[in-house]
């Protein structure tokens, strides 16, 4: 039946960005079949506090928000970079998708999908979606786009680039991945496009609002009238004013943004994003008030809050990332033996690990209570979709999540290993790219695992190599210093929903596949769940996925996680109050609602 969509099913989740250090909330959305898809009540821990830095007061225009990232980009061209760091940041400030996730204001985001370039859309049949472009959407006023309106040709040409070049094209392009649904996007007229699907897909609308979506570029750039790798002409809330390699970016307010509204967003005149690889330097710049937020490591936030009058700790709900160790399924690897995988999991004391990494006692001393929750491997930030591994519904796999040295030793002995005859393997990760504590995390798990018959060696490698060969390498790899290996990603993904996260990790063609072709039964569960548009049916399907992965220990969940935390200078309004939806990625999408008072 025809479907006019203005907002879809919602759930709550959260992500903390290691690169930016900001706060955000996220969730999922499904296609329904009604004149207006109803919102499902927000899920997650209702007791989790959101400490707002902007309680009270009306937004004011002006000021420059100063933050930082830890790494430079490969290119300004959204479709040319091979790794996420290659194209993410500038697109979020200057670019637009057809759809987007709404922010939560003064509360967690609910996951509603709202208009971006497409001001309305309908689904005349299960395999066709029609998008009507907002005729007020205009490209950057500078030549060669010169403030012209977005047309269907920009969308069609951007789709063609996405389907042939984008690092994430397997997410939506059926030609790149038969499990993805979009066959093609074509123009109906100057202001209308339609997407044809290979099959009815409960995910595609949320995917179009997510990170791995089609970011619309002007045909002037696509046809070579300016170099997309070196310059940007977008339709987003900000314009790229200056980029200096290895130094930083300056984004200026777009005065003609089509979603400015009565409040004339964005409120900030500029956003300065410095490129600072070392956390010690970001913290020094924060002390000097050269950075406003996203600068202080979680370990140092309590002490800084005591030392620096005028700062404030802000929190959001639990982190969405489900940090994990991904096994390799190459021939000859020990991980084919489920006893070894289960033994490694039971060697991990997850509560002690959380105390070591997050040190919640230090936060309690400054009046902030952090709550540890285990991954399944899904992180607790996925709200209603997260299955508590300590709970009664976890199934048999819950036992393999519990710390049990005696049982782990029995399993290792049966497999031919012991503390005196350990199983040696590499833990491969890209240095401190995912957090300064990544080496500490690996060392902590390694120390626990040694008690039952494992011996790890840390293998820190270049980020681009890691992404290509391990995170997106098909889950069949060898170690860097020895054959046996695991990889250690943060458990994030270009996922707009919890189900899409599962598709990414637990299907053979998933972008971050952790299973190769070894678990067809699990893949069948994931694919069946993708067909379920009903909220409760899909949630139960995702519970089944988690039960299966825990019982068979498909990946090793490295948790727990806590609430997301940041330290900011007072006068900055937004962090902890303007909560983005991680499925729409990233925290930069929140900046359009930030504002400043006092010293700017």
């Amino acid at each position: 039946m025809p479907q006019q969509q203005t907002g879809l099913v919602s759930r709550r989740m959260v992500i903390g960005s290691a690169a930016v250090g900001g706060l955000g909330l996220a969730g999922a959305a499904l296609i329904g079949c009604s004149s207006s898809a109803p919102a499902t009540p927000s899920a997650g821990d209702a007791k989790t506090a959101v400490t707002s830095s902007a309680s009270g007061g009306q937004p004011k225009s002006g000021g420059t928000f100063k933050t930082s990232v830890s790494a430079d980009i490969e290119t300004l061209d959204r479709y040319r970079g091979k790794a996420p760091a290659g194209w993410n940041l500038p697109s979020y400030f200057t670019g637009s998708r057809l759809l987007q996730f709404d922010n939560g204001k003064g509360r967690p985001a609910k996951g509603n999908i709202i208009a971006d370039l497409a001001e309305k859309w309908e689904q005349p049949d299960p395999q066709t979606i029609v998008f009507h472009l907002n005729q007020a959407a205009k490209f950057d006023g500078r030549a060669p786009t010169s403030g012209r309106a977005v047309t269907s040709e920009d969308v069609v040409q951007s789709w063609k680039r996405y389907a042939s070049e984008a690092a994430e094209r397997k997410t939506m392009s059926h030609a790149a991945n038969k499990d993805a649904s979009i066959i093609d996007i074509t123009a109906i007229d100057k202001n209308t496009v339609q997407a044809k699907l290979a099959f009815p897909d409960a995910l595609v609308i949320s995917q179009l609002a997510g990170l791995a979506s089609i970011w619309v570029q002007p045909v002037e750039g696509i046809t070579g009238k300016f170099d997309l790798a070196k310059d940007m002409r977008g339709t987003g809330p900000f314009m790229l004013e200056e980029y200096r390699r290895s130094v930083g970016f300056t984004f200026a307010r777009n005065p003609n943004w089509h979603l400015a509204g009565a409040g004339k967003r964005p409120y900030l005149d500029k956003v300065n994003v410095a490129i600072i690889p070392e956390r010690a330097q970001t913290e020094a710049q924060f002390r000097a008030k050269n950075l406003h937020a996203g600068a202080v490591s979680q370990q140092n936030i309590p002490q800084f809050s005591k030392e620096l009058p005028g700062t404030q700790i802000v929190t959001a709900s639990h982190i969405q990332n489900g940090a994990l160790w991904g096994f390799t399924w190459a021939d000859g690897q020990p991980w084919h033996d489920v006893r070894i995988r289960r033994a490694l999991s039971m060697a991990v004391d997850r509560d002690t690990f959380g105390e070591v990494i997050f040190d919640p006692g230090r936060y309690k001393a400054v009046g902030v209570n952090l709550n540890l929750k285990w991954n399944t491997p899904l992180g607790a930030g996925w709200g209603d979709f997260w299955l508590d591994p300590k709970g009664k519904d976890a199934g048999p796999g819950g036992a393999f999540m519990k710390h049990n040295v005696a049982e782990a030793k029995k399993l290792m002995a049966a497999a031919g290993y012991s503390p005196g005859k350990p199983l040696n393997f590499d833990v491969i990760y890209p240095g401190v790219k995912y957090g300064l504590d990544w080496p500490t995390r690996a060392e902590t798990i390694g120390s626990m695992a040694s008690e039952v018959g494992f011996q790890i060696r840390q293998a820190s490698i270049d980020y681009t190599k890691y992404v290509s060969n391990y995170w997106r390498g098909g889950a069949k790899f060898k170690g860097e210093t020895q054959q046996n290996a695991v990889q250690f990603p943060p458990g994030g993904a270009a996922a707009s929903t919890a189900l899409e996260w599962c598709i990414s990790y637990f299907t053979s063609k998933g972008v971050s596949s952790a299973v190769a072709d070894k678990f067809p039964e699990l893949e069948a569960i994931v694919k069946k769940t993708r067909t379920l548009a009903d909220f409760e049916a899909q949630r139960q399907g995702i519970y089944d996925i988690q039960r299966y992965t825990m019982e068979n220990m498909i990946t090793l969940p490295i948790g727990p996680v806590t609430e997301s935390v940041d330290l900011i200078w007072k006068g900055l309004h937004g962090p902890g109050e303007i909560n983005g939806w991680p499925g729409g990625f990233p925290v930069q999408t929140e900046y359009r609602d930030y504002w400043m008072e006092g010293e700017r």
Side-chain angles (χ1 to χ4, degrees):
M1 58 190 285
Q3 180 182 20
Q4 179 76 35
Q5 298 198 17
T6 56
L8 298 176
V9 176
S10 62
R11 305 93 169 93
R12 190 181 77 178
M13 70 188 205
V14 66
I15 186 170
S17 170
V20 182
L23 300 172
L25 300 170
L30 306 175
I31 297 177
C33 189
S34 63
S35 60
S36 180
T40 295
S42 177
D45 184 356
K47 296 181 180 179
T48 299
V50 178
T51 304
S52 171
S53 65
S55 55
Q58 293 298 315
K60 301 176 182 178
S61 295
T64 299
F65 171 53
K66 293 174 283 188
T67 187
S68 68
V69 291
S70 61
D72 205 347
I73 61 171
E74 296 173 46
T75 171
L76 290 174
D77 187 348
R78 168 63 178 80
Y79 297 124
R80 201 171 297 178
K82 292 187 173 112
W87 38 257
N88 281 358
L89 185 142
S91 295
Y92 299 139
F93 284 99
T94 68
S96 298
R97 295 156 282 190
L98 288 169
L99 308 172
Q100 62 180 319
F101 287 100
D102 199 9
N103 287 334
K105 299 179 182 179
R107 62 184 186 281
K110 293 183 177 181
N112 292 327
I113 293 176
I114 60 173
D116 193 345
L117 290 180
E119 64 178 350
K120 59 182 180 179
W121 61 101
E122 64 261 358
Q123 192 166 6
D125 64 67
Q127 291 175 237
T128 304
I129 309 173
V130 177
F131 300 93
H132 304 272
L133 302 182
N134 186 335
Q135 296 180 48
K138 294 179 173 59
F139 283 105
D140 193 319
R142 296 170 292 183
T145 52
S146 303
R148 71 165 178 84
V150 175
T151 70
S152 57
E153 186 64 15
D154 299 304
V155 178
V156 169
Q157 293 304 319
S158 295
W159 159 253
K160 289 180 178 179
R161 287 208 68 199
Y162 173 92
S164 62
E165 301 178 53
E168 309 288 346
R169 62 187 178 275
K170 290 183 179 180
T171 300
M172 291 193 296
S173 171
H174 187 68
N177 175 11
K178 298 307 179 186
D179 293 332
S181 64
I182 299 182
I183 297 174
D184 201 4
I185 295 178
T186 57
I188 295 176
D189 58 38
K190 183 179 180 181
N191 298 307
T192 314
V193 298
Q194 74 173 7
K196 296 298 292 186
L197 309 183
F199 52 85
D201 188 4
L203 277 181
V204 69
I205 288 290
S206 60
Q207 287 176 331
L208 284 166
L211 169 66
S213 184
I214 305 151
W215 292 79
V216 177
Q217 296 176 327
V219 292
E220 290 88 346
I222 296 172
T223 57
K225 292 184 179 179
F226 71 94
D227 190 346
L228 287 164
K230 297 179 180 179
D231 206 354
M232 305 189 82
R233 295 291 183 269
T235 55
F238 295 93
M239 301 179 294
L240 180 63
E241 183 176 89
E242 182 181 24
Y243 165 52
R244 290 189 291 164
R245 181 161 292 281
S246 301
V247 176
F249 308 81
T250 298
F251 298 95
R253 178 179 178 271
N254 178 1
N256 298 311
W257 186 39
H258 58 287
L259 299 177
K264 297 299 182 184
R265 297 179 305 158
Y267 305 113
L268 299 166
D269 286 337
K270 294 186 179 182
V271 178
N272 287 345
V273 184
I275 300 168
I276 307 176
E278 300 296 329
R279 178 64 75 178
Q281 183 61 22
T282 67
E283 292 180 342
Q285 293 297 315
F286 183 81
R287 284 184 178 274
K289 295 189 177 182
N290 293 325
L291 296 175
H292 293 114
V296 182
S297 67
Q298 185 160 346
Q299 291 82 357
N300 288 340
I301 283 175
Q303 186 62 32
F304 274 51
S305 71
K306 292 187 288 186
E307 294 175 354
L308 299 175
T311 60
Q312 179 178 355
I313 298 175
V314 292
T315 63
S317 54
H318 280 74
I319 296 169
Q320 167 264 338
N321 278 6
L324 53 87
W325 280 6
F327 301 112
T328 171
W329 305 107
D331 292 342
Q333 287 286 331
W335 313 115
H336 294 280
D337 189 335
V338 69
R339 297 172 299 181
I340 293 174
R341 304 196 303 268
R342 289 170 174 171
L344 182 56
S345 179
M346 289 190 288
V348 179
D349 184 339
R350 290 172 168 81
D351 287 331
T352 298
F353 176 86
E355 294 287 340
V356 169
I357 299 302
F358 298 109
D359 197 3
R362 297 180 66 221
Y363 278 87
K364 189 173 184 179
V366 294
V368 177
N369 292 318
L370 297 183
N371 302 289
L372 298 171
K373 292 186 177 181
W374 294 3
N375 299 336
T376 61
L378 258 68
W382 287 103
D384 250 10
F385 292 106
W386 172 71
L387 180 65
D388 186 352
K390 296 182 180 180
K392 61 181 177 61
D393 295 327
F400 305 125
M401 296 285 291
K402 296 176 182 177
H403 185 222
N404 190 335
V405 171
E407 186 62 28
K409 284 184 175 180
K410 289 179 184 178
L411 291 173
M412 289 297 284
Y417 298 98
S418 68
K421 184 186 174 183
L423 192 166
N424 296 280
F425 65 95
D426 280 354
V427 178
I428 304 167
Y429 60 93
V432 296
K433 175 66 180 179
Y434 297 135
L436 294 180
D437 61 4
W438 235 243
T440 303
R441 292 179 182 225
E443 180 181 359
T444 301
I445 299 300
S447 177
M448 293 173 176
S450 66
E451 189 177 357
V452 305
F454 294 95
Q455 183 65 49
I456 78 162
R457 178 176 294 177
Q458 297 194 41
S460 174
I461 65 173
D462 174 74
Y463 174 66
T464 301
K465 177 183 178 182
Y466 173 74
V467 169
S468 299
N469 295 350
Y470 296 97
W471 185 33
R472 292 180 179 160
K476 289 187 177 181
F477 53 85
K478 294 182 180 179
E480 292 287 310
T481 69
Q482 54 195 323
Q483 176 173 307
N484 300 335
V486 301
Q487 60 151 319
F488 187 10
S496 57
T497 69
L499 175 58
E500 192 172 7
W501 191 97
C502 293
I503 290 170
S504 179
Y505 282 97
F506 297 135
T507 62
S508 58
K509 295 180 181 178
V511 174
S512 308
S513 178
V515 296
D517 55 359
K518 296 301 180 182
F519 296 94
E521 184 178 0
L522 173 60
E523 186 151 351
I525 298 172
V526 176
K527 288 183 177 180
K528 178 182 177 181
T529 306
R530 182 170 187 162
T531 68
L532 305 174
D534 177 76
F535 172 84
E536 185 57 31
Q538 189 169 110
R539 182 172 66 172
Q540 291 302 323
I542 294 172
Y543 284 175
D544 288 341
I545 294 167
Q546 292 171 82
R547 293 186 188 103
Y548 187 99
T549 59
M550 288 190 291
E551 182 173 358
N552 295 281
M553 205 48 60
I554 306 301
T555 60
L556 179 70
I558 299 298
V561 294
T562 69
E563 294 86 345
S564 184
V565 186
D566 199 8
L567 186 69
I568 68 170
W569 286 102
K570 293 179 180 179
L572 170 65
H573 294 249
E577 181 189 17
I578 305 302
N579 298 298
W581 194 263
F585 275 77
V587 293
Q588 286 94 340
T589 60
E590 303 167 25
Y591 295 169
R592 63 197 182 201
D593 289 315
Y594 281 18
W595 61 280
M596 305 182 74
E597 63 180 345
E599 183 181 344
R600 300 187 179 190

